[in-house]
Amino acid sequence: MANINVRDYIDESYGLFINNEFQSSGSGETLTVTNPANGEDLAKVARAGKEDVDKAVQAAHDAFDSWSKISKAERADYLLEISRRIHEKAEHLATVESLQNGKPYRETSTIDVPQAANQFKYFASVLTTDEGTVNEIDENTMSLVVNEPVGVVGAVVAWNFPILLASWKLGPALAAGNTVVIQPSSSLLHVPVTLEEETLDDSVREGLSFATEKLDELYALKQLFNENDDTLYNELKAQYERFESQSFKQLHPELPVTSVTRFH
């Protein structure tokens, strides 16, 4: 790792990936991503504003019309192809993960990247075996349960396992026929560099958008974890209810187990 040429792996700058292309942010502002191991600047990344997020969500809505209608078998094929390409590009992806995250290469090459590939493979297999249910209530009544995509999924990905955490969220969302807007950590390149450029097919790319910035609506829940007092649960529950009462269909915050149990 010490003797590599960073530019063999990472470009000098990246835009926001919206509607199958990289583009500048509306404000023109950028964030600088550095290597935490040595402080070296790696690249400039466009900093998204609310208008950029609106564009990303609209692009994902537009792509949902087609992506949600393709067969389960075809979606599974796409996920398997993503898994195959991650394995094929494993050395490159593991190096990028190490550069932007500061982890040892032995960890990114044996855990982060191969496990990310396995996530897409796993959800491809789950998808092809998924079934609804039919319950006969009486001779005149039948209950049908059909699993359907919900629409555009907003996903927040943390800094500590970038490609792996992204795969946890992209895998099931894409498998279910949803499209995705991802907010990566503002200190990382990870999703645009590691997934978009190296592994995704054009048909999948059209349903993905990446907006890099700690925007109020997506970041508010994360801010709550700076507090460890007894008011955390009530504050989090209030945020949860406020979000669901507005534009979110469903909200699934990542919480420590001790906090999750407090919802039940």
Side-chain angles (χ1 to χ4, degrees), residues 42-230:
L42 296 175
K44 299 286 187 182
V45 181
R47 180 175 184 171
K50 292 187 177 181
E51 291 182 2
D52 301 305
V53 174
D54 288 342
K55 287 174 61 179
V57 172
Q58 185 58 55
H61 272 299
D62 294 342
F64 177 75
D65 290 338
S66 58
W67 179 250
S68 62
K69 291 180 174 61
I70 68 173
S71 68
K72 289 183 178 181
E74 189 174 356
R75 289 204 301 272
D77 286 343
Y78 279 119
L79 295 181
L80 289 173
E81 179 63 12
I82 292 172
S83 177
R84 185 192 69 79
R85 293 188 188 184
I86 291 176
H87 280 302
E88 188 178 80
K89 299 283 188 178
E91 184 275 333
H92 180 104
L93 299 175
T95 301
V96 173
E97 286 289 275
S98 291
L99 287 171
Q100 66 177 343
N101 184 264
K103 289 183 179 181
Y105 178 79
R106 66 177 180 274
E107 182 174 334
T108 59
S109 62
T110 60
I111 299 175
D112 300 46
V113 173
Q115 287 300 317
N118 290 342
Q119 291 299 311
F120 287 103
K121 184 177 180 180
Y122 170 78
F123 284 107
S125 66
V126 169
L127 175 59
T128 55
T129 57
D130 174 63
E131 295 179 349
T133 62
V134 179
N135 294 311
E136 187 174 349
I137 309 301
D138 55 42
E139 61 179 348
N140 298 314
T141 309
M142 182 177 293
S143 171
L144 300 177
V145 177
V146 180
N147 299 319
E148 298 179 334
V150 298
V152 177
V153 173
V156 181
V157 178
W159 62 272
N160 52 339
F161 283 89
I163 190 172
L164 183 54
L165 291 176
S167 70
W168 288 358
K169 300 185 180 188
L170 284 171
L174 293 175
N178 302 299
T179 51
V180 185
V181 177
I182 284 187
Q183 182 229 316
S185 167
S186 56
S187 64
L188 299 174
L189 301 164
H190 62 93
V191 177
V193 174
T194 55
L195 286 178
E196 190 284 325
E197 285 197 318
E198 302 298 334
T199 64
L200 299 182
D201 184 274
D202 281 348
S203 297
V204 181
R205 289 177 180 180
E206 291 175 1
L208 297 176
S209 297
F210 306 104
T212 305
E213 174 54 334
K214 300 173 181 177
L215 297 171
D216 292 343
E217 290 78 9
L218 292 178
Y219 196 67
L221 286 175
K222 189 175 179 182
Q223 294 288 70
L224 292 175
F225 295 109
N226 292 329
E227 300 292 338
N228 294 313
D229 57 34
D230 292 337

Side-chain angles (χ1 to χ4, degrees), residues 7 33 71 76 149 200 260 263:
R7 292 294 164 247
V33 176
S71 68
L200 299 182
V260 172
F263 274 112

